Amino acid sequence: MLRDHPGRGRRAVAAALGCALLCAVALTACGDSEDNSSSPSRTPRSPDAASFSGLAPSAMASRAASAIASAKASASAAASSARARASEFEASVDAQIARGSATAEKELKDVEGRGNAVPEVGIKGLPRNETSGLLGVMVTVTNKTGTKASYAVQIDFDDQSGKVVETRFLSVEDLDPGEKQQPIVFSRQAGDAQLTPRLAKAQRY
């Protein structure tokens, strides 16, 4: 029969505890090895707002609206400028025609007969569908002399009875020998007026 020995019991308990500790360490190592072999799962993180360089939707919309308004303002200013330039050009042309008309009327005032340049001037009526219904006449002036010359021309518009209803004057200045110009004269009468244009006078000066 065996007898219990105090020292032997303590050694058995210590051995059991040591074995348990070794198993725990081994299990922990195995767990670490398995975790290292697979990709660890990461908790999603919200993006850092400070890292963005763009604008918020409301700011983008505000900037787009501002750009559109600026473009509209620029287009309106350009259109106004174009209208102003057109008006200035029209006024300049009207002033030039008025000066030419006054010059021609003055040159023809004392001319007897039809003048010395009738063979150098021709007229041709323009189709009304090309003149917005107005009565227009193309006047062809050709310098057939050997020197530079200017011309004063008088166009009369006669009604069906042959009565002069309207008279227009025009001046063609500084034509070189052989040079030709073709100004257009319009009647100020109503578009439906039945008038016939006629070369009344042409004077070279």
Side-chain angles (χ1 to χ4, degrees):
M1 183 174 179
L2 296 177
R3 298 176 58 187
D4 293 334
H5 194 281
R8 180 179 298 173
R10 286 193 295 270
R11 286 195 295 271
V13 172
L17 289 174
C19 181
L21 180 59
L22 288 175
C23 290
V25 171
L27 290 174
T28 301
C30 290
D32 290 344
S33 176
E34 290 177 359
D35 290 343
N36 289 338
S37 64
S38 61
S39 299
S41 60
R42 298 180 181 178
T43 302
R45 297 173 56 190
S46 300
D48 185 2
S51 65
F52 289 98
S53 60
L55 297 175
S58 59
M60 292 178 66
S62 176
R63 180 165 294 183
S66 177
I68 292 173
S70 178
K72 288 183 177 179
S74 297
S76 177
S80 298
S81 178
R83 286 194 297 269
R85 290 196 300 271
S87 297
E88 291 175 359
F89 177 75
E90 183 178 359
S92 176
V93 170
D94 288 343
Q96 184 177 357
I97 292 175
R99 286 194 301 270
S101 178
T103 298
E105 186 174 4
K106 179 181 178 181
E107 291 293 333
L108 292 171
K109 182 177 180 180
D110 298 324
V111 171
E112 295 181 2
R114 300 185 64 198
N116 61 11
V118 172
E120 299 172 60
V121 179
I123 65 172
K124 179 182 179 181
L126 299 176
R128 290 180 183 264
N129 60 357
E130 295 180 3
T131 60
S132 300
L134 299 176
L135 175 56
V137 180
M138 177 184 291
V139 182
T140 301
V141 181
T142 306
N143 183 359
K144 298 180 181 180
T145 71
T147 59
K148 182 176 290 188
S150 297
Y151 296 82
V153 179
Q154 176 182 330
I155 305 296
D156 287 344
F157 292 90
D158 301 339
D159 62 13
Q160 293 180 339
S161 66
K163 179 182 177 180
V164 177
V165 175
E166 182 180 10
T167 296
R168 301 298 304 273
F169 296 94
L170 66 92
S171 175
V172 177
E173 301 178 354
D174 299 327
L175 287 186
D176 291 325
E179 185 179 359
K180 177 174 66 176
Q181 285 192 14
Q182 293 180 307
I184 296 176
V185 174
F186 288 99
S187 170
R188 295 190 179 95
Q189 302 301 309
D192 58 352
Q194 299 299 314
L195 302 177
T196 301
R198 174 172 56 86
L199 175 60
K201 292 183 179 181
Q203 181 72 14
R204 183 176 58 252
Y205 63 94

